[in-house]
Amino acid sequence: MLLAGARCGRRAPALPRGCEERRRCDTDHPPDALRWERGFSSLLRYLLVLLSLLHATDSFYVPGVAPINFHRNDPVEIKAVKLTSSRTQLPYEYYSLPFCQPTKITYKAENLGEVLRGDRIVNTPFQVSMSVEKKCEVLCNFPNKPVTLTVEQSKLIAERIREDYYVHLIADNLPVATRLEFYSNREEEEKKKEKDVQFEHGYRLGFMDGNKFYLHNHLSFILYYHREDVEENQEPTYRVVRFEVIPQSIKLEDLKADEKGMCTLPEATGSAPQEIDPSKENQMLFTYSVHWEESDIKWASRWDTYLTMSDVQIHWFSIINSVVVVFFLSGILSMIIIRTLRKDIANYNKEDDIEDTMEESGWKLVHGDVFRPPQYPMILSSLLGSGIQLFCMILIVIFVAMLGMLSPSSRGALMTTACFLFMFMGVFGGFFAGRLYRTLKGHRWKKGAFCTATLYPGVVFGICFVLNCFIWGKHSSGAVPFPTMVALLCMWFGISLPLVYLGYYFGFRKQPYDNPVRTNQIPRQIPEQRWYMNKFVGILMAGILPFGAMFIELFFIFSAIWENQFYYLFGFLFLVFIILVVSCSQISIVMVYFQLCAEDYRWWWRTFLVSGGSAFYVLIYAIFYFVNKLDIVEFIPSLLYFGYTALMVLSFWLLTGTIGFYAAYMFVRKIYAAVKID
């Protein structure tokens, strides 16, 4: 044991601790333990190879690997993804509204992540060909027979416009974007020269003017292509590198259409928008135009337009801020450990005046109780096992995404990878939980393994099922279908549960953590504690610094989740995650040191709770974000927001609590191994 201390031969002078453990293993389980450990390590290697092969064949997408080449007049298929609104948080299928439909509706086969996100990718009747212009064309029906919306359909469209819904289309897997041009705060001369351009994902379904509703019934597609270098005799090839749209609302009478389905757009100044009256039937034409432009953007860089953010400096400020926080904590730790702790150890190890030194400082006084097993050791080890699962899953996902293998162009890959990784990481969660449970003198390992495999996932599944029932009632595409829910249950009980049992079995059979001091039979009386040693005060004190190290990045994560934005800065996120791990470990060590100095040896549960104190601030920030950033007023969207936020806060508490617990545990074992105990 690395952190058990250098004086490992104190209890058995004849042998060092490593030899003592080996002799004990040889006498208790002669060759079995070694055989089980070798089998366990080979099994872990097999699972990791299997997992990497599984995702390498399906989910991972490396940008710049699989371009699609088009020749002139080749069809470029326009597909619809879904309708979204940040006001309702309820996605809907494209054909939930009375849009023009093709002869045969075909849905794309979707992965797990796409289903959980509410994506329902489907074909559309738009006829687009590579490098072929279309000035104006009627989308469906004949010009002399416009689309007639019933009263119910008109009411539905008006309601979606009021709820500020966006329509999301894709061409060659590129999402459609609306160009927004505006002047920034520059000097007057610079304002005349150039504008700042940003892109809005999707396009607005319509707009309101007073109490009237207007539908965007004409779409002007602007597609950019990059001409690839070919040999002289070969036909030129093109690749789609950008997909923009300019939505317009044009009244039926202003759209002049002929019998062939071609139409003429009116001048911008003289056209009236297409109104949707929810109290009666409405007639209109759905039309579109296509314009192609050549671009210098290469295919491998085509997502840069969508992912370019003007606030990268804010991320660097966040990183610098976090590093300052970590250095501040490191300074406190250095002062405590290098000065105070070494002085304490030196005094404790002196044979003279030991009674005086024991009166001066209190952490050595509780050496006979510091490793006393806490209440509910099974639940504690189960929660820590789930925390290990989360830690491994998040670390691998962020690292792989940082390498570019989980690009936004691979829809649903991030969520699919996270789900599968959490299932497979159950073997590590079970191993750590089983070993800790045995260290805490637990005996019912089968019940402990079942608790580890079902406690946290059961809470998550229960909350998601209740929220899913409300989404079902709204007929939203965000509702998880029943077959997918059955598949998730099968993954839980068919993959995660057996792997947790397997890891728990090997962890429980492994030698428990070797504590450097013995535990007394009679518990020591705990003196009355000061007010600042209260658990809630400790949570407030311990949570503020880790939260301050990552709250700026939290804003971008919330924007990506609740406002349908792309999040791709996983390099920043990886740095912030490392800083979060370091800061949680440091603050946990500080808090447990103060607690032991106050002669309170009940640190197991308290360290787990206090180390997750930053989750409390995440909850406060989520409430602040809901009130100030989102425009949600209805009951079900609010319920969805706070339901999923509760899951995020619970997961974050398990993650940070586990990090802090293991850091504090190693620290406690280290300091008690460094002093002489009579």
Side-chain angles (χ1 to χ4, degrees):
M1 294 295 173
L2 179 63
L3 294 173
R7 303 173 182 270
C8 59
R10 210 178 295 117
R11 295 187 204 162
L15 285 173
R17 176 170 295 163
C19 301
E20 181 187 356
E21 288 182 357
R22 196 177 304 117
R23 183 179 63 184
R24 195 184 309 135
C25 291
D26 292 342
T27 54
D28 292 347
H29 314 284
D32 277 352
L34 294 174
R35 193 184 311 124
W36 280 116
E37 289 185 15
R38 289 171 188 160
F40 181 55
S41 61
S42 62
L43 178 65
L44 290 183
R45 285 197 296 269
Y46 170 74
L47 287 175
L48 290 175
V49 171
L50 180 64
L51 183 63
S52 63
L53 290 176
L54 173 68
H55 286 290
T57 55
D58 183 34
S59 297
F60 289 165
Y61 171 83
V62 181
V65 171
I68 298 178
N69 293 324
F70 296 92
H71 298 289
R72 184 176 175 82
N73 295 323
D74 282 355
V76 179
E77 192 172 7
I78 307 294
K79 295 182 179 181
V81 181
K82 58 183 174 182
L83 311 171
T84 62
S85 169
S86 60
R87 295 185 63 182
T88 66
Q89 301 297 329
L90 293 169
Y92 286 96
E93 290 188 33
Y94 180 72
Y95 291 123
S96 63
L97 294 181
F99 293 120
C100 295
Q101 298 183 2
T103 306
K104 181 182 179 182
I105 297 179
T106 305
Y107 285 90
K108 170 187 169 292
E110 294 165 334
N111 57 37
L112 177 62
E114 288 177 312
V115 174
L116 296 178
R117 280 162 40 98
D119 294 356
R120 301 293 183 269
I121 300 177
V122 64
N123 60 328
T124 60
F126 295 106
Q127 300 294 325
V128 178
S129 300
M130 172 57 71
S131 192
V132 176
E133 302 274 332
K134 286 187 178 183
K135 290 187 176 180
C136 183
E137 189 170 305
V138 179
L139 189 58
C140 57
N141 289 12
F142 295 99
N144 55 1
K145 187 182 177 183
V147 177
T148 302
L149 301 180
T150 63
V151 178
E152 289 77 12
Q153 291 173 335
S154 301
K155 286 182 179 179
L156 184 60
I157 289 181
E159 183 182 355
R160 296 288 181 263
I161 293 174
R162 183 191 295 112
E163 292 170 341
D164 200 19
Y165 266 85
Y166 284 74
V167 183
H168 297 273
L169 306 175
I170 55 173
D172 189 27
N173 203 33
L174 269 183
V176 72
T178 306
R179 178 190 290 261
L180 301 176
E181 296 181 347
F182 58 92
Y183 293 107
S184 61
N185 297 326
R186 296 176 180 157
E187 299 295 333
E188 293 296 328
E189 296 181 358
E190 295 184 0
K191 284 186 178 180
K192 297 177 182 178
K193 294 180 182 179
E194 61 179 69
K195 300 177 182 178
D196 281 345
V197 177
Q198 286 190 357
F199 291 92
E200 198 173 46
H201 305 303
Y203 69 89
R204 290 179 181 269
L205 177 63
F207 61 94
M208 291 181 63
D209 187 6
N211 293 325
K212 294 184 178 181
F213 304 92
Y214 300 96
L215 176 68
H216 286 140
N217 60 325
H218 177 81
L219 301 179
S220 298
F221 293 130
I222 305 174
L223 292 103
Y224 295 78
Y225 64 86
H226 180 75
R227 188 192 298 267
E228 297 300 310
D229 296 330
V230 294
E231 296 181 3
E232 294 182 1
N233 299 329
Q234 289 184 345
E235 184 180 358
T237 59
Y238 308 90
R239 292 176 181 174
V240 180
V241 293
R242 188 185 294 179
F243 183 25
E244 296 180 17
V245 65
I246 301 176
Q248 294 175 265
S249 181
I250 304 175
K251 198 173 182 180
L252 174 63
E253 291 77 10
D254 293 338
L255 281 171
K256 300 174 183 178
D258 57 22
E259 296 179 354
K260 296 181 181 180
M262 309 304 291
C263 55
T264 304
L265 294 176
E267 296 182 1
T269 56
S271 63
Q274 174 64 54
E275 183 182 352
I276 300 294
D277 190 344
S279 62
K280 64 178 184 180
E281 293 184 349
N282 294 272
Q283 289 189 334
M284 70 185 68
L285 283 177
F286 287 101
T287 59
Y288 70 103
S289 61
V290 180
H291 175 62
W292 289 91
E293 289 187 17
E294 188 170 359
S295 173
D296 295 331
I297 300 174
K298 293 187 177 181
W299 190 88
S301 305
R302 65 179 190 162
W303 275 84
D304 293 354
T305 303
Y306 302 88
L307 304 180
T308 299
M309 301 180 71
S310 59
D311 42 24
V312 175
Q313 292 181 351
I314 297 178
H315 284 269
W316 281 117
F317 172 77
S318 171
I319 297 295
I320 295 172
N321 170 59
S322 304
V323 170
V324 169
V325 170
V326 170
F327 275 117
F328 176 71
L329 279 175
S330 300
I332 296 177
L333 271 180
S334 301
M335 182 182 66
I336 291 175
I337 294 176
I338 296 178
R339 296 180 59 187
T340 312
L341 196 58
R342 284 189 176 180
K343 182 180 176 182
D344 288 348
I345 293 173
N347 289 335
Y348 285 150
N349 289 337
K350 288 181 181 178
E351 295 183 358
D352 52 337
D353 298 333
I354 193 167
E355 295 182 359
D356 297 336
T357 56
M358 288 178 66
E359 292 296 329
E360 292 175 3
S361 181
W363 63 268
K364 187 184 176 183
L365 294 178
V366 295
H367 68 85
D369 300 276
V370 69
F371 294 110
R372 185 178 303 280
Q375 289 184 320
Y376 314 112
M378 184 183 295
I379 298 177
L380 177 63
S381 59
S382 299
L383 292 175
L384 290 168
S386 298
I388 292 291
Q389 263 184 282
L390 283 171
F391 176 80
C392 296
M393 180 264 288
I394 293 173
L395 180 65
I396 296 175
V397 165
I398 295 177
F399 182 75
V400 171
M402 182 184 67
L403 299 179
M405 295 184 181
L406 297 178
S407 166
S409 57
S410 185
R411 301 178 185 280
L414 185 70
M415 194 169 292
T416 304
T417 306
C419 289
F420 275 97
L421 271 176
F422 184 80
M423 301 291 176
F424 283 103
M425 292 302 108
V427 68
F428 294 103
F431 180 81
F432 280 89
R435 191 174 184 193
L436 181 66
Y437 183 58
R438 183 176 181 183
T439 304
L440 299 179
K441 306 296 189 294
H443 303 288
R444 297 176 294 176
W445 73 269
K446 294 180 181 179
K447 186 176 180 181
F450 183 79
C451 185
T452 304
T454 56
L455 184 59
Y456 169 70
V459 172
V460 173
F461 184 83
I463 294 177
C464 289
F465 181 78
V466 172
L467 296 178
N468 204 53
C469 292
F470 286 97
I471 304 175
W472 267 335
K474 284 287 187 177
H475 306 287
S476 168
S477 64
V480 179
F482 185 74
T484 305
M485 195 170 292
V486 173
L488 287 172
L489 283 174
C490 292
M491 289 170 58
W492 180 12
F493 289 102
I495 299 177
S496 181
L497 185 70
L499 287 179
V500 170
Y501 262 91
L502 186 67
Y504 209 98
Y505 173 76
F506 285 108
F508 192 77
R509 285 183 62 90
K510 191 172 177 62
Q511 199 68 27
Y513 296 112
D514 199 357
N515 298 325
V517 291
R518 295 187 182 91
T519 301
N520 296 334
Q521 293 183 352
I522 302 175
R524 178 186 177 87
Q525 185 176 1
I526 299 172
E528 186 177 353
Q529 300 294 305
R530 302 284 185 123
W531 63 270
Y532 51 81
M533 296 303 296
N534 183 272
K535 287 182 182 178
F536 188 72
V537 176
I539 288 174
L540 293 179
M541 293 170 57
I544 188 66
L545 288 175
F547 175 77
M550 48 80 69
F551 83 97
I552 295 179
E553 206 66 28
L554 194 65
F555 168 78
F556 295 102
I557 296 175
F558 271 55
S559 298
I561 295 175
W562 303 114
E563 299 188 43
N564 301 306
Q565 303 292 325
F566 287 119
Y567 185 87
Y568 76 103
L569 295 173
F570 290 100
F572 285 107
L573 188 61
F574 184 76
L575 288 176
V576 170
F577 182 72
I578 297 300
I579 291 171
L580 178 68
V581 171
V582 174
S583 59
C584 281
S585 303
Q586 291 177 339
I587 200 69
S588 173
I589 290 173
V590 172
M591 297 302 290
V592 77
Y593 176 77
F594 287 147
Q595 181 181 353
L596 293 178
C597 285
E599 301 178 24
D600 186 356
Y601 54 83
R602 299 169 302 181
W603 62 273
W604 302 87
W605 273 106
R606 181 187 172 91
T607 299
F608 183 55
L609 293 171
V610 169
S611 301
S614 51
F616 173 76
Y617 289 96
V618 172
L619 176 62
I620 299 299
Y621 180 79
I623 297 173
F624 167 81
Y625 190 89
F626 178 83
V627 173
N628 291 276
K629 300 294 183 181
L630 298 179
D631 190 18
I632 297 178
V633 292
E634 297 182 8
F635 170 71
I636 290 182
S638 303
L639 182 67
L640 292 178
Y641 179 86
F642 285 106
Y644 290 129
T645 298
L647 289 181
M648 291 170 57
V649 170
L650 173 64
S651 303
F652 193 74
W653 170 62
L654 282 180
L655 174 68
T656 52
T658 301
I659 294 169
F661 175 85
Y662 276 99
Y665 190 27
M666 289 188 289
F667 171 76
V668 171
R669 291 169 59 201
K670 181 75 173 176
I671 63 173
Y672 281 98
V675 295
K676 296 177 181 178
I677 305 297
D678 295 336

